[in-house]
Amino acid sequence: MDKVYVEGMEFYGYHGVFAEENKLGQRFKVDLSASLDLSEAGKTDNIDATINYADLYHICRDVVEGKPVKLVETLAETITAKVLETFPNVSECKVKVIKPDPPIPGHYQSVAIEMTRTRQ
């Protein structure tokens, strides 16, 4: 299956279990891939036969910069669901939500959740 990738997106959100995270906010990074048949787009050079990268970016931005949630898992689930709902030609969506510098003891570069959802 062909894939469209949008990687390295960065947003500022107010998600987390700790009250400080909800008050101060923090950066989140998102990588996304969407699986779909791109053969017609490749043969016809027609944008309507694919999906627009900007639309995928806006879905991720709206979720991460939107209503605060406690879990990074909730962000990933919401993004994959919105991509599958918005684009009927996408058969699978994989998203990785990265939380740089998490507020937990120890030395961490980041923590992340990667989630894959397939159209039923």
Side-chain angles (χ1 to χ4, degrees), residues 22-39:
N22 305 135
K23 182 179 179 184
L24 300 174
Q26 60 197 303
R27 287 180 310 122
F28 291 85
K29 296 181 180 183
V30 179
D31 296 333
L32 183 143
S33 69
S35 300
L36 67 157
D37 182 356
L38 296 172
S39 59

Side-chain angles (χ1 to χ4, degrees), residues 2-117:
D2 307 319
K3 293 183 190 279
V4 171
Y5 292 91
V6 184
E7 299 178 322
M9 296 176 276
E10 288 195 30
F11 308 103
Y12 202 85
Y14 295 85
H15 314 288
V17 174
F18 302 113
E20 297 84 18
E21 294 175 292
N22 305 135
K23 182 179 179 184
L24 300 174
Q26 60 197 303
R27 287 180 310 122
F28 291 85
K29 296 181 180 183
V30 179
D31 296 333
L32 183 143
S33 69
S35 300
L36 67 157
D37 182 356
L38 296 172
S39 59
E40 182 183 344
K43 292 174 187 171
T44 65
D45 200 30
N46 180 357
I47 193 159
D48 293 330
T50 185
I51 53 178
N52 189 317
Y53 310 126
D55 293 339
L56 294 172
Y57 172 88
H58 289 121
I59 288 171
C60 295
R61 183 197 63 197
D62 291 349
V63 171
V64 178
E65 293 183 355
K67 178 183 172 195
V69 298
K70 292 179 183 169
L71 302 178
V72 177
E73 291 87 341
T74 304
L75 295 174
E77 185 72 45
T78 304
I79 291 168
T80 57
K82 285 186 182 283
V83 168
L84 291 172
E85 176 185 313
T86 304
F87 301 104
N89 55 340
V90 171
S91 61
E92 180 180 276
C93 181
K94 180 187 289 187
V95 67
K96 182 176 183 180
V97 179
I98 303 157
K99 189 175 187 177
D101 306 313
I104 51 179
H107 297 283
Y108 298 86
Q109 181 177 354
S110 64
V111 295
I113 296 298
E114 185 173 271
M115 188 174 287
T116 303
R117 294 294 178 260

